């Protein structure tokens, strides 16, 4: 249900969001990968979260003489938000901090993609699907990716 609400919230903002069967939320971007990632990073830091890493998959591939379409991952979080999840179940640390992939598909369209927090953490024992931090993570991901996609 929360995934549906997140998808509707992004669509209401004029941006199509799609949740696939594997619980990945995708948001179409108006910019290229680098521009979208710059906007995402600015939105994350502007919201007071910490950026832990920015991984450029295409640059990594180029270092071994291989090619990839533009694709970058931003790893970020807020310990005030993530720590309670890890306190509830230490295995949540495998999924946190949060990650957003910005990539170009075969048609040249740029997308932001992230795993739905409820689905990501929901199968772990000790974490209630009604946990406040799941709702906060879901809302933050929707807002941050929406901002990065449309500026």
């Amino acid at each position: 249900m929360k995934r549906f609400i997140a998808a509707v919230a992004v669509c209401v903002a004029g941006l199509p969001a799609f949740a696939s069967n594997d619980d990945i939320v995708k948001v179409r971007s108006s910019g290229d990968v680098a521009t979208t990632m710059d906007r995402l990073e600015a939105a994350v830091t502007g919201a007071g979260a910490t950026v832990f890493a920015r991984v450029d998959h295409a640059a990594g591939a180029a270092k071994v003489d291989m090619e990839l379409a533009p694709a970058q991952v931003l790893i970020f979080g807020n310990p005030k938000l993530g720590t309670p999840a890890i306190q509830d179940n230490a295995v949540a640390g495998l999924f946190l901090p949060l990650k957003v992939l910005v990539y170009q598909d075969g048609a040249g369209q740029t997308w932001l993609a992230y795993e739905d927090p409820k689905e990501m953490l929901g199968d772990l024992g000790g974490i209630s699907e009604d946990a406040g931090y799941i709702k906060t993570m879901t809302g933050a991901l929707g807002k941050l990716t929406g901002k990065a996609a449309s500026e």
Side-chain angles (χ1 to χ4, degrees):
M1 181 65 175
K2 289 181 184 177
R3 178 178 49 200
F4 174 74
I5 292 169
V8 169
V10 174
C11 287
V12 169
L15 302 168
F18 307 93
S20 65
N21 290 338
D22 55 358
D23 304 314
I24 302 298
V25 178
K26 296 179 183 177
V27 179
R28 183 187 311 255
S29 177
S30 62
D32 62 17
V33 170
T35 300
T36 301
M37 183 57 83
D38 288 344
R39 294 188 303 215
L40 178 61
E41 188 169 358
V44 166
T45 58
T50 300
V51 172
F52 296 107
R54 183 169 169 168
V55 179
D56 187 334
H57 288 303
K63 287 182 180 180
V64 294
D65 296 322
M66 297 177 77
E67 290 186 28
L68 279 178
Q72 297 183 27
V73 175
L74 192 69
I75 302 170
F76 64 94
N78 180 336
K80 287 184 181 181
L81 185 59
T83 300
I86 297 170
Q87 287 174 329
D88 286 346
N89 188 320
V91 177
L94 285 171
F95 303 103
L96 299 171
L98 297 171
K99 294 167 274 315
V100 174
L101 170 68
V102 179
Y103 70 98
Q104 183 182 75
D105 68 15
Q109 176 61 54
T110 301
W111 296 90
L112 297 100
Y114 61 90
E115 191 169 6
D116 180 324
K118 181 179 175 184
E119 301 301 326
M120 177 174 65
L121 300 173
D123 291 336
L124 300 178
I127 295 182
S128 168
E129 65 182 47
D130 295 329
Y133 51 78
I134 290 178
K135 181 183 268 187
T136 303
M137 287 176 194
T138 301
L141 284 165
K143 288 178 186 175
L144 295 169
T145 57
K147 187 170 186 175
S150 64
E151 286 187 352

